[in-house]
Amino acid sequence: MSAAVDEVSPQPVRDPVCGMSVNPAQARGGSFTHEGVTHFFCGPKCRERFAAEPEKYLQMEAIPGPSAIPLAPPQAPSVAPVGVFYVCPMDPEVRQSTPGACPKCGMALEREISSVDAAPDNTELRDMSRRFWVAAALSTPLFLIAMSEMLPGLDHSATQHWRGYLQFALATPVCAWAGLPFLQRALRSVRTLQLNMFTLIGLGVTAAYAYSVVALFAPGAFPPSSHDMHGGVALYFEAAAVIVTFVLLGQVLELRARAQTGAALRKLLELAPKTACRVAANGQEQDVALEAVRVGDRLRIRPGEKVPADGIVLEGTSRVDEAMLTGEANPVAKSVGERVSCATVNGTGSLLIEVEHVGTETLLGRIVTLVAEAQRSRAPIQRLVDRVSSYFVPAVLAISVLTFVLWATLGPEPRLAHALVNAVAVLIIACPCALGLATPMSILVASGRGAELGVLFKNAEAIERLQHVDTLVVDKTGTLTEGKPKLTTLLSAPGGEEHALLRYAASLEAHSEHPLAKAIVAAAKERQLEPAAVLGFASVTGQGVSGVVGEQRILIGNRALLAAHRVSADALNAQADALQARGQTVVFVSVNEQLAGVLAISDPLKASTAAAIAELRSAGLRIVMLTGDARATAQAVAEQLGITEVISEVLPDQKARAVERLQQAGRVVAMAGDGINDAPALARADVGIAMGTGTDIAIESAGVTLVRGDLRGIARARALSRLTLANIRQNLGFACLYNSVGVPLAAGALYPAFGISLSPMFAAAAMSLSSVSVIANALRLKRAAL
């Protein structure tokens, strides 16, 4: 161990695995040095876990405080990037340059656009998860104790006193610690006059808990009518604790979804290389960090490397894999004067480019920005609940105050005690448990039901909006088609033999990395044809390959390759044109400068695609194909499926703009895709639908994922969306009905005529009944026929 450690003061540091405070001089788990930094551990197991995956635990660290001792002098702290902003997930209009809490709702602000070097900040998720499990562990026995009092035939007189104190002991940590974030947010919402769900939660928890504390420690403050036969007053600690537990569960689920959004953006950013080979004016080449690259720099792109920035080719020829941008499986030939994009993959050639765009100005950077902006949208369902809450909370407070005043001035003696009991009853019966459960319970059950059907919903917004979709935009490659090129047609020239033709082609193509070559080799294997030895293999960029098989000179490629070797394709030109008109890629084969045949390769339609498109069209959806593929290929596929609207040869940002144009025309748009190139459009659409067989970026950018990649799942998802929204409206109706009936009863509306006053105990029972009704109604979705 270096001397630097010996000179360190014995100030405690933090174990990066478990978070415990550790004295470096007495660390039972010893230490471990990673990238010049020594970390100390509370025990051997923590050290073993860290040694196996150090990056994982370093990224997970979020609690402030020292956790390690640097062996080398610390580097200067990095400066926060210019233009970085933090936004509120509930109120996207709140946007500021520093992290912190939202001034409107109190939620933690999160970074507007992730960076590849910024570890995901899961501090709030871990905190809420910890609070939830503690709350659940304490609320369960608390609920059982409270319910045991209602069991008939049991004498509770001897144990009533200590059971009350036990409930207080269990409920206090739940309300005072586990529910503290909600109480803080409720207080903030009152201070800023931005009443929301947290206002309701804080009001309900505080009312139930405070009432119970007074009832336990000062039962004499309540009128005799509120006392039971043993002289006690009903307690509602379990109501306060259960509210906190349910709300914490909802927060944990929401935070997990938000964490996935950040992961999608980070994965997009990780596509870019970390370094670039910069060429100086004197021709000297040097590897530099990507951040050091500037517009106008000249970069060398070596074979197999990712392109570090958008630029124009100055020297060289190669084929560049642009599948992450266009979805096209075939690499594109690049030569002098043509443009290349950041994060695309160079083939076997070497390119010299001049940088035109860097950072957020590259095509990849614009994709990240588009996805980030489109994902920062507010769920309409939550806005509806918040609007209801903004009127509901002041109304409940006003009714509670009015109830107190009326009973205190006009009620029977003891007036003050009666006024307090009825005012608290109003607050308890108006507790927002049912209102808070109305949406998440339906969403939770619908999500499970959707999973059974192979449909995964990412958030409530997707479920709500899907029922209103009237236009479906679909990508071609991997969405309508299988995304795997296959040899579909084999035509030999007159007098030729198909097996020999395929064997020649597979022998040469076995030496090529081209996707079309792999399709030819795979077809030969299916026919159990062994490739022969090849001599003099050569690849001609943009044309094809050549070589000698046995004593035969073989050419495989397009018409340009045949023309360059004076080989006539006239014998099969008509057939080749017909195949191309059907969207297939044609490859010519010649043997000893004589045309031997034609191979046609295509990406077959999925078996379910035709039926799915027909079903969706019959449901009244307008179908639009949106693809980066060539016009002829896209049009051919569209004709097979009866799709009349086709937008082809578009880049990712153009796809997003195409979706936006449809939205501006008044359409509610769903976008279905599977590739990285579809991510901006998936995020921009009202509902993004990703194929489960596609890329992680597409799945995480979409609101809906079809696990099996079957478009027929969209029809099932729309039906489930309609049922779910109807269920949510019913739940909100139940919650409002209980409050509209229960609040007047709790306030004493029946007392003048019938002498009936609703005690807080019955108010709590009615509140519980409303929650049970909401849950039971939501569970009906599990049995819905779709």
Side-chain angles (χ1 to χ4, degrees):
M1 189 169 294
S2 78
V5 175
D6 297 334
E7 298 172 1
V8 172
S9 65
Q11 180 180 0
V13 297
R14 197 161 39 81
D15 185 325
V17 175
C18 66
M20 290 185 62
S21 179
V22 179
N23 186 332
Q26 302 174 351
R28 291 188 301 165
S31 62
F32 184 90
T33 301
H34 176 68
E35 295 185 352
V37 179
T38 297
H39 302 266
F40 296 88
F41 305 90
C42 66
K45 289 192 176 296
C46 282
R47 185 186 184 280
E48 291 174 6
R49 292 176 181 174
F50 182 86
E53 299 177 277
E55 297 297 338
K56 169 185 174 182
Y57 292 104
L58 291 177
Q59 289 181 357
M60 287 175 59
E61 270 194 304
I63 304 175
S67 63
I69 299 174
L71 292 176
Q75 298 178 350
S78 59
V79 180
V82 178
V84 172
F85 290 94
Y86 296 84
V87 297
C88 174
M90 281 190 64
D91 300 283
E93 66 274 12
V94 175
R95 187 171 180 265
Q96 61 188 47
S97 58
T98 57
C102 174
K104 293 181 65 175
C105 68
M107 292 190 72
L109 301 180
E110 57 186 29
R111 190 164 171 156
E112 188 174 38
I113 299 179
S114 299
S115 64
V116 71
D117 57 345
D121 185 4
N122 293 326
T123 308
E124 189 178 11
L125 174 58
R126 287 197 297 272
D127 180 58
M128 287 295 179
S129 298
R130 185 164 53 245
R131 293 176 189 272
F132 165 71
W133 288 114
V134 171
L138 296 176
S139 297
T140 301
L142 171 59
F143 181 78
L144 294 176
I145 292 171
M147 292 300 102
S148 68
E149 297 179 2
M150 300 183 182
L151 295 177
L154 296 180
D155 182 11
H156 297 290
S157 58
T159 61
Q160 183 181 30
H161 194 64
W162 71 261
R163 277 189 292 104
Y165 284 108
L166 180 58
Q167 291 183 54
F168 168 76
L170 290 171
T172 298
V174 176
C175 297
W177 178 76
L180 182 60
F182 307 138
L183 300 179
Q184 292 172 334
R185 293 171 186 177
L187 181 59
R188 183 184 293 269
S189 71
V190 173
R191 286 176 178 172
T192 60
L193 299 179
Q194 299 288 338
L195 304 182
N196 52 40
M197 279 299 298
F198 291 118
T199 315
L200 296 176
I201 294 166
L203 177 64
V205 171
T206 301
Y209 180 80
Y211 173 88
S212 300
V213 169
V214 175
L216 176 64
F217 291 99
F222 295 89
S225 60
S226 299
H227 293 202
D228 57 24
M229 66 181 64
H230 307 299
V233 179
L235 305 177
Y236 306 102
F237 287 118
E238 83 285 354
V242 170
I243 291 171
V244 170
T245 304
F246 273 122
V247 175
L248 282 168
L249 175 60
Q251 289 293 295
V252 169
L253 296 176
E254 177 189 342
L255 289 168
R256 285 180 179 174
R258 285 164 51 190
Q260 293 175 1
T261 298
L265 295 180
R266 281 189 296 275
K267 286 183 179 180
L268 275 175
L269 289 163
E270 287 169 359
L271 292 173
K274 303 296 186 296
T275 61
C277 179
R278 186 163 57 192
V279 181
N282 60 4
Q284 184 178 358
E285 297 182 359
Q286 179 185 11
D287 286 341
V288 298
L290 187 61
E291 293 77 12
V293 175
R294 298 290 182 266
V295 175
D297 285 352
R298 294 191 304 162
L299 304 179
R300 174 70 64 188
I301 317 297
R302 293 172 287 227
E305 288 185 338
K306 287 184 177 181
V307 178
D310 290 0
I312 187 168
V313 177
L314 300 178
E315 294 179 6
T317 59
S318 185
R319 297 184 70 86
V320 177
D321 183 356
E322 297 183 335
M324 59 84 59
L325 295 178
T326 65
E328 178 57 56
N330 301 331
V332 179
K334 297 292 182 181
S335 57
V336 176
E338 296 185 325
R339 285 178 167 78
V340 291
S341 298
C342 178
T344 56
V345 182
N346 186 27
T348 56
S350 176
L351 298 175
L352 179 68
I353 71 168
E354 179 180 336
V355 176
E356 292 185 317
H357 302 289
V358 296
T360 57
E361 297 302 316
T362 64
L363 186 55
L364 176 64
R366 295 200 300 274
I367 291 174
V368 172
T369 302
L370 286 167
V371 174
E373 289 177 352
Q375 287 183 335
R376 299 273 179 207
S377 56
R378 187 78 181 281
I381 294 176
Q382 187 59 50
R383 287 199 295 267
L384 172 63
V385 175
D386 281 349
R387 283 198 301 271
V388 172
S389 303
S390 66
Y391 295 103
F392 179 70
V393 176
V396 171
L397 287 172
I399 294 172
S400 180
V401 171
L402 180 62
T403 299
F404 185 89
V405 172
L406 290 176
W407 278 91
T409 55
L410 303 176
E413 294 293 343
R415 292 178 177 176
L416 186 62
H418 280 296
L420 179 63
V421 168
N422 285 277
V424 170
V426 169
L427 291 177
I428 289 179
I429 204 168
C431 185
C433 193
L435 189 61
L437 286 174
T439 296
M441 278 304 302
S442 296
I443 296 300
L444 188 64
V445 177
S447 299
R449 177 63 172 144
E452 295 174 0
L453 300 171
V455 179
L456 302 182
F457 293 104
K458 184 176 182 180
N459 50 41
E461 181 179 8
I463 296 179
E464 179 176 7
R465 289 189 173 181
L466 192 57
Q467 66 168 336
H468 302 297
V469 167
D470 56 24
T471 302
L472 175 64
V473 177
V474 289
D475 174 52
K476 182 185 76 67
T477 306
T479 303
L480 299 175
T481 68
E482 294 181 1
K484 299 176 181 178
K486 292 183 179 180
L487 179 67
T488 53
T489 305
L490 181 62
L491 295 176
S492 61
E497 203 273 323
E498 290 185 354
H499 282 284
L501 174 66
L502 182 56
R503 185 168 180 269
Y504 284 138
S507 299
L508 248 67
E509 297 291 16
H511 295 265
S512 173
E513 294 298 320
H514 198 286
L516 298 183
K518 295 179 181 179
I520 294 172
V521 173
K525 287 183 179 179
E526 289 178 1
R527 293 168 172 79
Q528 299 181 343
L529 299 176
E530 292 295 329
V534 176
L535 299 175
F537 175 83
S539 175
V540 182
T541 302
Q543 294 185 4
V545 296
S546 64
V548 177
V549 178
E551 297 181 355
Q552 314 297 323
R553 176 167 176 76
I554 311 298
L555 298 174
I556 304 176
N558 55 25
R559 285 186 174 92
L561 180 66
L562 297 188
H565 290 80
R566 301 180 184 278
V567 178
S568 173
D570 292 344
L572 294 176
N573 260 336
Q575 293 92 324
D577 290 341
L579 292 170
Q580 287 178 324
R582 295 203 296 269
Q584 301 186 39
T585 301
V586 171
V587 177
F588 294 90
V589 181
S590 80
V591 178
N592 295 329
E593 280 67 47
Q594 296 294 320
L595 183 65
V598 166
L599 305 178
I601 300 165
S602 66
D603 187 4
L605 290 171
K606 294 178 181 177
S608 61
T609 295
I613 294 297
E615 182 179 355
L616 293 168
R617 188 186 295 109
S618 65
L621 284 180
R622 172 185 174 185
I623 311 294
V624 180
M625 181 191 291
L626 183 63
T627 177
D629 284 352
R631 185 180 305 277
T633 302
Q635 194 63 47
V637 172
E639 289 176 358
Q640 293 181 54
L641 298 172
I643 298 175
T644 57
E645 294 185 66
V646 179
I647 305 174
S648 58
E649 300 178 356
V650 290
L651 292 176
D653 56 341
Q654 295 171 332
K655 284 189 175 185
R657 284 197 289 271
V659 169
E660 190 173 5
R661 284 195 298 272
L662 288 169
Q663 291 171 325
Q664 291 172 348
R667 313 295 296 193
V668 181
V669 181
M671 168 70 190
D674 77 318
I676 294 172
N677 59 303
D678 299 317
L682 289 170
R684 176 60 60 188
D686 295 285
V687 181
I689 303 173
M691 302 296 106
T693 52
T695 65
D696 290 343
I697 302 299
I699 292 172
E700 291 171 359
S701 298
V704 180
T705 300
L706 304 181
V707 177
R708 305 179 186 95
D710 187 344
L711 288 177
R712 288 177 296 187
I714 297 177
R716 292 191 288 270
R718 291 184 75 219
L720 183 58
S721 170
R722 287 192 293 270
L723 290 175
T724 302
L725 265 294
N727 193 269
I728 289 174
R729 294 187 187 99
Q730 293 165 3
N731 286 345
L732 291 174
F734 280 134
C736 293
L737 177 63
Y738 279 109
N739 280 301
S740 61
V741 174
V743 169
L745 292 178
L750 298 180
Y751 188 84
F754 304 98
I756 298 175
S757 176
L758 188 65
S759 73
M761 180 175 63
F762 287 105
M767 179 196 68
S768 300
L769 180 61
S770 68
S771 300
V772 171
S773 299
V774 165
I775 295 172
N777 187 56
L779 289 175
R780 292 193 306 113
L781 290 171
K782 291 176 66 71
R783 301 183 297 274
L786 298 170

PDB file of all heavy atoms in Angstrom, residues 638-652:
ATOM      1  N   ALA A 638     -45.097  -2.522 -49.385  1.00  0.00           N
ATOM      2  CA  ALA A 638     -46.389  -1.876 -49.123  1.00  0.00           C
ATOM      3  C   ALA A 638     -47.492  -2.460 -50.004  1.00  0.00           C
ATOM      4  O   ALA A 638     -48.619  -2.678 -49.553  1.00  0.00           O
ATOM      5  CB  ALA A 638     -46.269  -0.372 -49.342  1.00  0.00           C
ATOM      6  N   GLU A 639     -47.168  -2.721 -51.262  1.00  0.00           N
ATOM      7  CA  GLU A 639     -48.160  -3.271 -52.182  1.00  0.00           C
ATOM      8  C   GLU A 639     -48.602  -4.659 -51.740  1.00  0.00           C
ATOM      9  O   GLU A 639     -49.770  -5.027 -51.875  1.00  0.00           O
ATOM     10  CB  GLU A 639     -47.592  -3.314 -53.596  1.00  0.00           C
ATOM     11  CG  GLU A 639     -47.445  -1.923 -54.226  1.00  0.00           C
ATOM     12  CD  GLU A 639     -46.789  -1.973 -55.584  1.00  0.00           C
ATOM     13  OE1 GLU A 639     -46.421  -3.091 -56.019  1.00  0.00           O
ATOM     14  OE2 GLU A 639     -46.607  -0.912 -56.208  1.00  0.00           O
ATOM     15  N   GLN A 640     -47.653  -5.448 -51.207  1.00  0.00           N
ATOM     16  CA  GLN A 640     -48.027  -6.783 -50.728  1.00  0.00           C
ATOM     17  C   GLN A 640     -49.014  -6.721 -49.573  1.00  0.00           C
ATOM     18  O   GLN A 640     -49.853  -7.610 -49.411  1.00  0.00           O
ATOM     19  CB  GLN A 640     -46.775  -7.533 -50.261  1.00  0.00           C
ATOM     20  CG  GLN A 640     -45.781  -7.879 -51.363  1.00  0.00           C
ATOM     21  CD  GLN A 640     -44.595  -8.638 -50.806  1.00  0.00           C
ATOM     22  OE1 GLN A 640     -44.755  -9.655 -50.144  1.00  0.00           O
ATOM     23  NE2 GLN A 640     -43.398  -8.134 -51.074  1.00  0.00           N
ATOM     24  N   LEU A 641     -48.924  -5.653 -48.778  1.00  0.00           N
ATOM     25  CA  LEU A 641     -49.762  -5.535 -47.588  1.00  0.00           C
ATOM     26  C   LEU A 641     -50.968  -4.629 -47.790  1.00  0.00           C
ATOM     27  O   LEU A 641     -51.769  -4.462 -46.878  1.00  0.00           O
ATOM     28  CB  LEU A 641     -48.919  -4.994 -46.420  1.00  0.00           C
ATOM     29  CG  LEU A 641     -47.741  -5.873 -45.988  1.00  0.00           C
ATOM     30  CD1 LEU A 641     -46.879  -5.139 -44.967  1.00  0.00           C
ATOM     31  CD2 LEU A 641     -48.246  -7.188 -45.407  1.00  0.00           C
ATOM     32  N   GLY A 642     -51.070  -4.030 -48.959  1.00  0.00           N
ATOM     33  CA  GLY A 642     -52.188  -3.138 -49.205  1.00  0.00           C
ATOM     34  C   GLY A 642     -52.045  -1.793 -48.531  1.00  0.00           C
ATOM     35  O   GLY A 642     -53.042  -1.094 -48.305  1.00  0.00           O
ATOM     36  N   ILE A 643     -50.809  -1.393 -48.200  1.00  0.00           N
ATOM     37  CA  ILE A 643     -50.563  -0.081 -47.590  1.00  0.00           C
ATOM     38  C   ILE A 643     -50.404   0.941 -48.715  1.00  0.00           C
ATOM     39  O   ILE A 643     -49.551   0.776 -49.590  1.00  0.00           O
ATOM     40  CB  ILE A 643     -49.302  -0.113 -46.700  1.00  0.00           C
ATOM     41  CG1 ILE A 643     -49.495  -1.102 -45.551  1.00  0.00           C
ATOM     42  CG2 ILE A 643     -48.981   1.278 -46.157  1.00  0.00           C
ATOM     43  CD1 ILE A 643     -48.260  -1.292 -44.693  1.00  0.00           C
ATOM     44  N   THR A 644     -51.184   1.983 -48.673  1.00  0.00           N
ATOM     45  CA  THR A 644     -51.176   2.960 -49.771  1.00  0.00           C
ATOM     46  C   THR A 644     -50.312   4.185 -49.478  1.00  0.00           C
ATOM     47  O   THR A 644     -49.966   4.923 -50.394  1.00  0.00           O
ATOM     48  CB  THR A 644     -52.611   3.428 -50.057  1.00  0.00           C
ATOM     49  OG1 THR A 644     -53.181   3.976 -48.865  1.00  0.00           O
ATOM     50  CG2 THR A 644     -53.471   2.258 -50.527  1.00  0.00           C
ATOM     51  N   GLU A 645     -50.001   4.438 -48.227  1.00  0.00           N
ATOM     52  CA  GLU A 645     -49.175   5.597 -47.877  1.00  0.00           C
ATOM     53  C   GLU A 645     -47.782   5.127 -47.465  1.00  0.00           C
ATOM     54  O   GLU A 645     -47.630   4.383 -46.483  1.00  0.00           O
ATOM     55  CB  GLU A 645     -49.812   6.382 -46.733  1.00  0.00           C
ATOM     56  CG  GLU A 645     -51.137   7.033 -47.105  1.00  0.00           C
ATOM     57  CD  GLU A 645     -51.673   7.893 -45.976  1.00  0.00           C
ATOM     58  OE1 GLU A 645     -51.038   8.917 -45.664  1.00  0.00           O
ATOM     59  OE2 GLU A 645     -52.711   7.516 -45.400  1.00  0.00           O
ATOM     60  N   VAL A 646     -46.769   5.567 -48.209  1.00  0.00           N
ATOM     61  CA  VAL A 646     -45.390   5.148 -47.952  1.00  0.00           C
ATOM     62  C   VAL A 646     -44.482   6.375 -47.929  1.00  0.00           C
ATOM     63  O   VAL A 646     -44.513   7.195 -48.846  1.00  0.00           O
ATOM     64  CB  VAL A 646     -44.887   4.156 -49.030  1.00  0.00           C
ATOM     65  CG1 VAL A 646     -43.444   3.751 -48.753  1.00  0.00           C
ATOM     66  CG2 VAL A 646     -45.792   2.935 -49.095  1.00  0.00           C
ATOM     67  N   ILE A 647     -43.691   6.499 -46.872  1.00  0.00           N
ATOM     68  CA  ILE A 647     -42.664   7.534 -46.774  1.00  0.00           C
ATOM     69  C   ILE A 647     -41.338   6.813 -46.640  1.00  0.00           C
ATOM     70  O   ILE A 647     -41.092   6.143 -45.633  1.00  0.00           O
ATOM     71  CB  ILE A 647     -42.900   8.462 -45.565  1.00  0.00           C
ATOM     72  CG1 ILE A 647     -44.313   9.057 -45.618  1.00  0.00           C
ATOM     73  CG2 ILE A 647     -41.856   9.568 -45.512  1.00  0.00           C
ATOM     74  CD1 ILE A 647     -44.677   9.862 -44.375  1.00  0.00           C
ATOM     75  N   SER A 648     -40.468   6.913 -47.643  1.00  0.00           N
ATOM     76  CA  SER A 648     -39.237   6.128 -47.668  1.00  0.00           C
ATOM     77  C   SER A 648     -38.010   7.019 -47.694  1.00  0.00           C
ATOM     78  O   SER A 648     -38.099   8.242 -47.826  1.00  0.00           O
ATOM     79  CB  SER A 648     -39.234   5.202 -48.892  1.00  0.00           C
ATOM     80  OG  SER A 648     -39.352   5.957 -50.079  1.00  0.00           O
ATOM     81  N   GLU A 649     -36.846   6.354 -47.523  1.00  0.00           N
ATOM     82  CA  GLU A 649     -35.540   7.016 -47.605  1.00  0.00           C
ATOM     83  C   GLU A 649     -35.433   8.199 -46.638  1.00  0.00           C
ATOM     84  O   GLU A 649     -35.018   9.293 -46.995  1.00  0.00           O
ATOM     85  CB  GLU A 649     -35.257   7.462 -49.038  1.00  0.00           C
ATOM     86  CG  GLU A 649     -35.228   6.304 -50.030  1.00  0.00           C
ATOM     87  CD  GLU A 649     -35.006   6.756 -51.475  1.00  0.00           C
ATOM     88  OE1 GLU A 649     -34.954   7.974 -51.697  1.00  0.00           O
ATOM     89  OE2 GLU A 649     -34.868   5.891 -52.347  1.00  0.00           O
ATOM     90  N   VAL A 650     -35.836   7.973 -45.392  1.00  0.00           N
ATOM     91  CA  VAL A 650     -35.784   9.027 -44.382  1.00  0.00           C
ATOM     92  C   VAL A 650     -34.808   8.641 -43.270  1.00  0.00           C
ATOM     93  O   VAL A 650     -34.661   7.463 -42.938  1.00  0.00           O
ATOM     94  CB  VAL A 650     -37.175   9.300 -43.774  1.00  0.00           C
ATOM     95  CG1 VAL A 650     -38.080   9.968 -44.769  1.00  0.00           C
ATOM     96  CG2 VAL A 650     -37.808   8.016 -43.251  1.00  0.00           C
ATOM     97  N   LEU A 651     -34.154   9.645 -42.696  1.00  0.00           N
ATOM     98  CA  LEU A 651     -33.245   9.464 -41.573  1.00  0.00           C
ATOM     99  C   LEU A 651     -34.039   9.592 -40.265  1.00  0.00           C
ATOM    100  O   LEU A 651     -35.194  10.019 -40.272  1.00  0.00           O
ATOM    101  CB  LEU A 651     -32.130  10.498 -41.627  1.00  0.00           C
ATOM    102  CG  LEU A 651     -31.156  10.334 -42.795  1.00  0.00           C
ATOM    103  CD1 LEU A 651     -30.140  11.472 -42.800  1.00  0.00           C
ATOM    104  CD2 LEU A 651     -30.441   8.992 -42.750  1.00  0.00           C
ATOM    105  N   PRO A 652     -33.416   9.214 -39.131  1.00  0.00           N
ATOM    106  CA  PRO A 652     -34.164   9.210 -37.865  1.00  0.00           C
ATOM    107  C   PRO A 652     -34.830  10.530 -37.518  1.00  0.00           C
ATOM    108  O   PRO A 652     -35.992  10.551 -37.114  1.00  0.00           O
ATOM    109  CB  PRO A 652     -33.080   8.838 -36.843  1.00  0.00           C
ATOM    110  CG  PRO A 652     -32.112   8.017 -37.603  1.00  0.00           C
ATOM    111  CD  PRO A 652     -32.085   8.607 -38.979  1.00  0.00           C
TER     112      PRO A 652
END
